[in-house]
Amino acid sequence: MSDTQGPMWEVFLQKKAGQPFVHCGNLHAFDKEMALQNARDLYTRRMEGTAIWVVKSEHIVASSPEDQGAFFEPANDKIFRHPTFYQVPDIIKHM
Amino acid sequence: METYNFENIFEGKLAKNEMIEPKDWMPENYRKHLIRQISQHAHSEIVGMLPEGNWITRAPSLRSKLVLLAKVQDEGGHGLYLYTAAESLGTSRDEMLDALHTGKAKYSSIFNYPTLTWADVAAIGWLVDGAAIMNQVMLQRTSYGPYSRAMIRICKEESFHQRQGYEAMTRLAFGTPAQKEMAQDALNRFWFPTLMMFGPPDAESPNSDNAVKWRIKRETNDELRQRFVNQTVPQIEYLGLDFPTNSGIKWNETRKEYDFSEPNWVEFKNVIHGNGPCNKERLQARNTAHKNGEWVRAAATAFAKRQEEKREAA
């Protein structure tokens, strides 16, 4: 059945300047202006954010659960990327 | 080549209390169960706007009108969160709305009861939203990610709904004798329909088994109902109202819980199957609203298309 409700959009909110934009949900809207207004009405009724991004859901590129291993496991055995891997004498400060 | 046993991966995630996300493999019945439950939940939010909306123009003060408007707007928002959560499972908004409008899909039976007085609006906030919160707090930990995220948002907003209802109830209960009587009458009429909101007794609940196995629900209908009664009885006592007619509320010293009478489950079935006091009115109101919005959707589609063409031409 074809949908008469407009395309789906993803909504990202920034709580206040300086903080990251975080995904908070999605909604239907017919164009980008309406998507922004709907996001304001739907997701910031209680000052949850002071800036909004909206993007059409079809433009999101996502990794697949089946690829999770191949995609993320290579980072597992590279503990030398963490600072605690390295020995520094106790008397050395500020490091 | 590596092969996957998808069912084992799914079961493993549930066993470890991990969430299932839209792109994960899931059993077809799990998907179906969720679509049914989430869409019915969304319909309940939207239909729930009607009995309360009925009082917006007649709210007794500007303050109560503002509060009621904000609450009804929240319910609309809750419906939208839930519809998109259901859509992530592969159904469409149109399909769900169509199921609601043709009477194929169910919504919470409580909204088929009328709001006869202002005290009914207060009772709905206090009791109906109170019962809904009890269910929704549990559903924050449901196994399907988008449903859980919607529930967390909803619970944050919902506690204002219950508190404003109880506040309105205290004003009536501590008001004139006529106001107190109105409060008592609302409590009497909404008590059993509220208890029905938790669904049929565990022994007769057709969908409960799988829901608990799949961690969609984490507690049974009867467990939630008992907790609601335990929590609500002291709130009735504070108001100085009598226990609702035939409610059978009595402290049980052995169980350390309140005993109470079961609602009339024949009435529950009748209301679910379309024969409650307001079923026809509610469905008609939804259908009319949808039909009246048709030109708006058509105009918005045409406008979006024209904007798109202008951008391409530029």
Side-chain angles (χ1 to χ4, degrees):
Chain A
M1 183 188 278
S2 77
D3 214 308
T4 63
Q5 308 283 321
M8 184 91 92
W9 302 69
E10 302 298 321
V11 182
F12 301 81
L13 286 184
Q14 187 186 37
K15 208 171 158 73
K16 57 178 190 186
Q19 294 193 353
F21 281 75
V22 179
H23 182 252
C24 70
N26 39 26
L27 49 78
H28 285 268
F30 290 90
D31 57 44
K32 53 190 187 178
E33 288 79 16
M34 189 189 277
L36 204 53
Q37 283 166 0
N38 287 358
R40 191 268 319 267
D41 289 345
L42 191 55
Y43 288 106
T44 63
R45 287 197 302 278
R46 291 174 175 79
M47 290 304 298
E48 291 91 338
T50 54
I52 305 174
W53 288 348
V54 288
V55 57
K56 257 190 196 168
S57 305
E58 65 187 38
H59 292 154
I60 299 271
V61 183
S63 60
S64 297
E66 301 89 69
D67 299 337
Q68 199 180 335
F71 220 63
F72 300 104
E73 265 163 23
N76 246 347
D77 57 359
K78 294 182 178 56
I79 50 171
F80 48 85
R81 284 175 175 163
H82 296 277
T84 46
F85 181 74
Y86 302 94
Q87 303 247 331
V88 174
D90 285 350
I91 54 164
I92 299 300
K93 301 292 177 203
H94 309 298
M95 194 172 278
Chain B
M1 201 186 123
E2 207 175 346
T3 56
Y4 290 94
N5 184 333
F6 289 113
E7 193 136 19
N8 282 351
I9 296 174
F10 174 81
E11 300 284 345
K13 280 188 179 164
L14 291 186
K16 281 185 286 181
N17 261 329
E18 284 176 15
M19 294 275 182
I20 308 300
E21 290 291 340
K23 292 178 86 176
D24 288 335
W25 183 90
M26 60 188 86
E28 211 36 47
N29 284 336
Y30 176 82
R31 185 185 298 276
K32 272 194 197 140
H33 185 108
L34 279 170
I35 290 178
R36 186 186 52 78
Q37 179 171 335
I38 301 172
S39 64
Q40 286 183 11
H41 197 157
H43 298 329
S44 302
E45 300 283 354
I46 300 296
V47 176
M49 296 166 81
L50 298 171
E52 291 183 300
N54 180 35
W55 279 89
I56 288 174
T57 55
R58 291 174 289 158
S61 69
L62 182 57
R63 182 183 187 268
S64 52
K65 188 191 287 246
L66 282 175
V67 168
L68 189 56
L69 270 170
K71 180 178 189 294
V72 173
Q73 190 189 12
D74 273 355
E75 307 296 4
H78 297 175
L80 294 179
Y81 304 154
L82 287 161
Y83 280 129
T84 53
E87 283 167 73
S88 71
L89 291 156
T91 180
S92 76
R93 182 76 58 95
D94 275 344
E95 259 175 298
M96 288 185 278
L97 290 181
D98 192 57
L100 171 66
H101 295 151
T102 54
K104 216 177 91 196
K106 306 273 184 283
Y107 53 85
S108 183
S109 60
I110 190 83
F111 300 118
N112 289 316
Y113 291 87
T115 40
L116 304 175
T117 69
W118 174 251
D120 289 5
V121 178
I124 286 182
W126 169 36
L127 297 172
V128 175
D129 287 272
I133 289 170
M134 194 131 278
N135 193 34
Q136 288 167 349
V137 163
M138 165 190 76
L139 288 171
Q140 289 183 106
R141 296 183 299 128
T142 190
S143 59
Y144 186 57
Y147 194 22
S148 157
R149 291 192 282 276
M151 279 300 121
I152 290 168
R153 285 198 83 78
I154 289 175
C155 283
K156 264 191 205 152
E157 301 184 355
E158 195 91 50
S159 78
F160 130 63
H161 297 182
Q162 191 186 18
R163 289 174 65 105
Q164 65 82 30
Y166 194 68
E167 188 201 80
M169 207 67 186
T170 55
R171 289 185 181 204
L172 294 169
F174 296 114
T176 65
Q179 287 173 326
K180 187 172 180 181
E181 200 180 315
M182 200 193 280
Q184 181 71 55
D185 175 55
L187 170 61
N188 289 347
R189 279 183 293 108
F190 274 91
W191 176 254
F192 283 117
T194 303
L195 293 187
M196 292 176 194
M197 285 175 68
F198 297 98
D202 295 346
E204 298 160 31
S205 178
N207 300 315
S208 256
D209 269 2
N210 280 334
V212 173
K213 189 185 89 186
W214 287 324
R215 295 186 194 269
I216 294 172
K217 289 178 68 167
R218 288 171 177 266
E219 286 165 286
T220 68
N221 297 352
D222 286 336
E223 284 165 355
L224 290 167
R225 190 166 14 246
Q226 177 71 58
R227 174 147 4 110
F228 174 79
V229 172
N230 292 347
Q231 171 186 294
T232 306
V233 169
Q235 297 168 358
I236 300 175
E237 285 168 340
Y238 175 82
L239 292 171
L241 298 179
D242 297 330
F243 290 147
T245 325
N246 301 323
S247 61
I249 294 172
K250 199 168 166 255
W251 178 250
N252 183 321
E253 189 53 37
T254 329
R255 294 197 305 125
K256 303 282 181 207
E257 292 187 297
Y258 288 97
D259 289 337
F260 59 95
S261 306
E262 290 281 311
N264 180 342
W265 293 114
V266 176
E267 176 184 322
F268 174 74
K269 284 195 184 106
N270 283 340
V271 177
I272 285 279
H273 290 124
N275 299 312
C278 299
N279 295 57
K280 284 202 181 74
E281 192 184 325
R282 300 291 184 241
L283 265 195
Q284 199 177 12
R286 279 311 319 153
N287 273 296
T288 307
H290 191 68
K291 199 159 165 276
N292 288 345
E294 210 172 315
W295 71 269
V296 180
R297 291 190 294 278
T301 308
F303 181 75
K305 195 166 161 243
R306 189 134 56 92
Q307 294 299 99
E308 193 65 33
E309 283 163 5
K310 263 194 204 161
R311 252 195 303 275
E312 276 164 15

